[in-house]
Amino acid sequence: MKSRMESPAMIVPDASQALQALGKALFASAEKTGIPNRLLFLAYLRASQINGDSVCVELHSRNALAAGESTERLLAVPAWRETNCFNDAERAAFALSESVTRLSDREDPVPDEIFNEAARHFDVAALATLIAGIATANLWNRFNVSTRQIAAVSAGK
């Protein structure tokens, strides 16, 4: 496989720096609001899995592992509904990530039930951080998928 072109984030002047600054702001906010980094990485991973972004699936998987996530839980993310290894707050974050990612799939893409369950586990600042992070992951996914960016992982590893 070959990429169609370099990522728009690398071509558009100052876009990469702006997106990196946004990422730093999101993780600083997560720290202030008590969202574990590994949960952000797992929520981003779920969006990236849905969007078919191999670059971000690889990145968020590695980052989650580096943040202390277990391999078992990482492998269970696609089937989070069918496993008991995630707590209610994590499940709420996954449901929110899926809803924010699949905006065009349903008439009410982020139903009150999903939003309210997330709001039950995260205060307003934490919820804003989670939503902004999921939206940012989706932006990167769209850059990578549309230009067919290739994950830097060899098939033999």
Side-chain angles (χ1 to χ4, degrees):
M1 286 186 71
K2 184 178 172 190
S3 297
R4 289 177 168 152
M5 60 183 268
E6 194 172 12
S7 170
M10 305 307 159
I11 296 171
V12 174
D14 301 323
S16 181
Q17 294 94 333
L19 290 168
Q20 288 175 5
L22 175 58
K24 287 179 186 177
L26 290 168
F27 280 96
S29 180
E31 186 174 335
K32 288 179 189 172
T33 61
I35 300 173
N37 284 352
R38 62 185 184 79
L39 178 55
L40 281 183
F41 291 131
L42 292 179
Y44 299 172
L45 172 62
R46 187 64 192 122
S48 299
Q49 290 169 334
I50 291 166
N51 288 324
D53 180 355
S54 65
V55 172
C56 285
V57 165
E58 189 271 336
L59 173 70
H60 299 314
S61 295
R62 286 186 189 277
N63 286 341
L65 290 169
E69 190 53 75
S70 72
T71 302
E72 292 76 16
R73 283 172 35 103
L74 187 71
L75 293 171
V77 169
W80 64 269
R81 287 180 181 83
E82 290 79 33
T83 182
N84 61 3
C85 65
F86 299 108
N87 65 36
D88 289 343
E90 293 165 332
R91 290 175 177 283
F94 290 143
L96 185 64
S97 184
E98 288 183 0
S99 290
V100 171
T101 299
R102 293 179 165 142
L103 292 177
S104 66
D105 288 358
R106 354 186 143 92
E107 186 175 314
D108 185 10
V110 184
D112 288 341
E113 175 185 325
I114 288 174
F115 186 89
N116 292 339
E117 181 64 12
R120 192 169 75 80
H121 296 283
F122 303 99
D123 67 21
V124 171
L127 188 56
T129 300
L130 191 56
I131 292 168
I134 294 164
T136 303
N138 274 277
L139 172 64
W140 280 105
N141 294 162
R142 279 147 180 77
F143 285 163
N144 292 338
V145 171
S146 64
T147 59
R148 290 191 182 150
Q149 297 303 302
I150 309 300
V153 177
S154 70
K157 290 189 177 182

